[in-house]
Amino acid sequence: MTSASSGPRSPMWRVTTWAKVLLPVGIVILMGLTVWRVVLTEPGAPVHEYAGVTMGTTYAVKVDARLTAKQRKAIADTIEQRLSEVDGLMSTYDTTSELSRFNRHESTDPFIVSSLMLEVFATAREVSERSGGAFDVTVAPLVDAWGFGPPGRVAAAPSETHLSTLRSGVGYEKVQIDREAGTLVKTHPQTVADLSAVAKGYGVDRVSSALADLGIGSFLVEVGGEIKATGMKRDGTPWRVGIERPDTAMRAVYRGVDLIDEAVATSGDYRNFYEHHGVRYAHIIDPRTARPIPYAGASVTVVHASAAMADAWATALSVLGPDEGYDLAEREGVAALFVVRTDSGYSAHATPAFRQGGEPESSVREPV
Ligand code: AMP
Ligand code: MG
């Protein structure tokens, strides 16, 4: 007895023949997809790291992606190019930088600058206005007079007379920004600027946007402690960075913060300072007094989409301190964490915007 379904030209024959062909193809495709997924998302795959020096400090970049040697080279070149561009324009130590030339331009005639310089001055201006002048890049002569600028440490604190002479050129409103003309205009010929409180963050932003342009999806950029994270890591978790404790004796992490397409910057009186006759002088100048902020063992950490903004705000809020600074940050919707040294450890106070960024409520005034 022959069955219609088992003959060589029966429909079943055609099905089994197709199955014989399709099955191996399907298996190969499935295996290919599995390998592809493992290759792309394998948690143990190396994070590529790049490090070096820039702007008188160090930088570090981590890229979480599988990269070819060619891509790794392109990334290294891009980082170097972007950072040396910012350094070359904004350094006060390099006498040939655009900023140094602007500072030597003792005139109220417009001074043509790069679009990058305009952008940084505009960021600085915004934070100056919103902080009531606590952030002020024109404090440069005061920074030098107190021993924190290119001339180096000073033998004695500057006299009142000297400070009041220097103050004549200080004031953020003494530099006007003309975006259309591409110029900066001094209203006082002796006004000079120091971009140290914002340029590192700006460098972080410049590197981050360049890496995104290269098609990289997950990376962390850090310059002198100012950090920006882009994308999620391949294991699906956000980049986590440590916030330093305001400890003068050692580097220790106070707490961690998760960042997704956000930057974090910390400023304070605990790292860059010197002692003279028992008095501690910190590198942040209060433009209202023309003096370094009084030492309190305090730090301010700001989280912002822009690293330049985070950098500038962290400095501004350090000038104002944990009380006045906290009130301003809260009013302005700035995500800030104030950490202050106490007799029993440290206490922290986070603004609502900082807590909403995924911070546990316990971050409010917690001892270490
Ligand atoms: P940061 O470490 O980002 O807080 O920047 C501190 C540096 O910014 C100092 O070393 C000075 O060069 C400069 N600076 C000091 N005081 C101020 C201020 N009130 N506004 C802007 N820049 C400042
Ligand atoms: Mg800063």
Side-chain angles (χ1 to χ4, degrees):
M1 199 173 113
T2 54
S3 154
S5 61
S6 59
R9 283 185 173 78
S10 70
M12 180 55 90
W13 178 89
R14 283 201 294 275
V15 167
T16 47
T17 307
W18 274 110
K20 272 185 202 153
V21 177
L22 282 180
L23 212 64
V25 172
I27 288 170
V28 167
I29 289 174
L30 269 175
M31 280 173 60
L33 280 175
T34 311
V35 170
W36 179 247
R37 272 189 48 208
V38 170
V39 163
L40 279 184
T41 59
E42 181 196 351
V47 170
H48 299 275
E49 300 194 13
Y50 306 82
V53 289
T54 186
M55 303 184 211
T57 182
T58 56
Y59 75 79
V61 177
K62 291 182 180 183
V63 176
D64 194 13
R66 290 191 75 87
L67 302 170
T68 62
K70 203 172 155 197
Q71 284 172 313
R72 287 203 296 274
K73 168 92 172 65
I75 290 171
D77 290 349
T78 301
I79 296 167
E80 278 292 330
Q81 188 271 327
R82 286 277 166 130
L83 290 177
S84 55
E85 182 181 35
V86 174
D87 196 18
L89 289 171
M90 298 172 199
S91 170
T92 40
Y93 288 79
D94 174 359
T95 53
T96 64
S97 73
E98 188 170 70
L99 183 63
S100 294
R101 286 190 291 107
F102 171 71
N103 286 343
R104 284 197 300 272
H105 174 75
E106 291 189 7
S107 159
T108 52
D109 291 342
F111 185 87
I112 297 172
V113 289
S114 60
S115 59
L116 281 70
M117 190 74 100
L118 284 175
E119 206 181 344
V120 170
F121 267 87
T123 300
R125 175 80 183 205
E126 181 184 333
V127 178
S128 295
E129 284 172 356
R130 291 173 64 191
S131 66
F135 188 80
D136 189 341
V137 296
T138 68
V139 294
L142 302 174
V143 172
D144 290 355
W146 287 102
F148 292 101
R153 293 279 183 263
V154 287
S159 68
E160 274 310 322
T161 334
H162 186 39
L163 287 177
S164 63
T165 315
L166 295 177
R167 283 179 96 159
S168 62
V170 176
Y172 71 87
E173 69 292 337
K174 291 178 181 146
V175 180
Q176 292 169 353
I177 306 160
D178 189 335
R179 288 244 196 197
E180 281 187 5
T183 59
L184 296 175
V185 185
K186 298 181 186 185
T187 60
H188 187 294
Q190 260 78 50
T191 296
V192 289
D194 170 359
L195 300 175
S196 311
V198 58
K200 289 192 294 282
Y202 185 68
V204 168
D205 286 333
R206 291 283 297 167
V207 171
S208 299
S209 62
L211 295 186
D213 289 348
L214 287 179
I216 315 292
S218 179
F219 54 88
L220 195 76
V221 180
E222 182 255 330
V223 176
E226 324 300 17
I227 305 175
K228 183 167 182 176
T230 301
M232 301 276 259
K233 289 187 288 177
R234 276 177 294 172
D235 63 9
T237 61
W239 290 95
R240 189 167 182 76
V241 304
I243 297 174
E244 210 175 59
R245 215 161 65 184
D247 191 328
T248 53
M250 60 170 169
R251 289 194 185 274
V253 170
Y254 176 65
R255 58 169 301 150
V257 61
D258 288 341
L259 300 173
I260 306 169
D261 297 333
E262 277 172 322
V264 63
T266 300
S267 272
D269 59 18
Y270 64 102
R271 188 64 61 214
N272 193 351
F273 66 87
Y274 66 89
E275 265 182 28
H276 192 64
H277 296 311
V279 181
R280 250 179 205 175
Y281 296 98
H283 70 138
I284 295 174
I285 306 291
D286 185 338
R288 299 168 298 188
T289 61
R291 303 180 160 276
I293 55 171
Y295 176 78
S299 75
V300 185
T301 296
V302 172
V303 171
H304 198 284
S306 144
M309 286 294 267
D311 194 356
W313 267 117
T315 307
L317 297 176
S318 288
V319 170
L320 298 174
D323 297 325
E324 208 183 335
Y326 182 90
D327 292 344
L328 177 75
E330 193 177 31
R331 269 200 316 277
E332 290 290 323
V334 176
L337 174 76
F338 293 77
V339 184
V340 186
R341 203 187 177 111
T342 63
D343 291 342
S344 55
Y346 295 89
S347 90
H349 199 188
T351 61
F354 192 92
R355 291 196 294 271
Q356 277 153 23
E359 286 306 305
E361 200 61 22
S362 67
S363 67
V364 183
R365 297 201 184 285
E366 62 181 6
V368 172

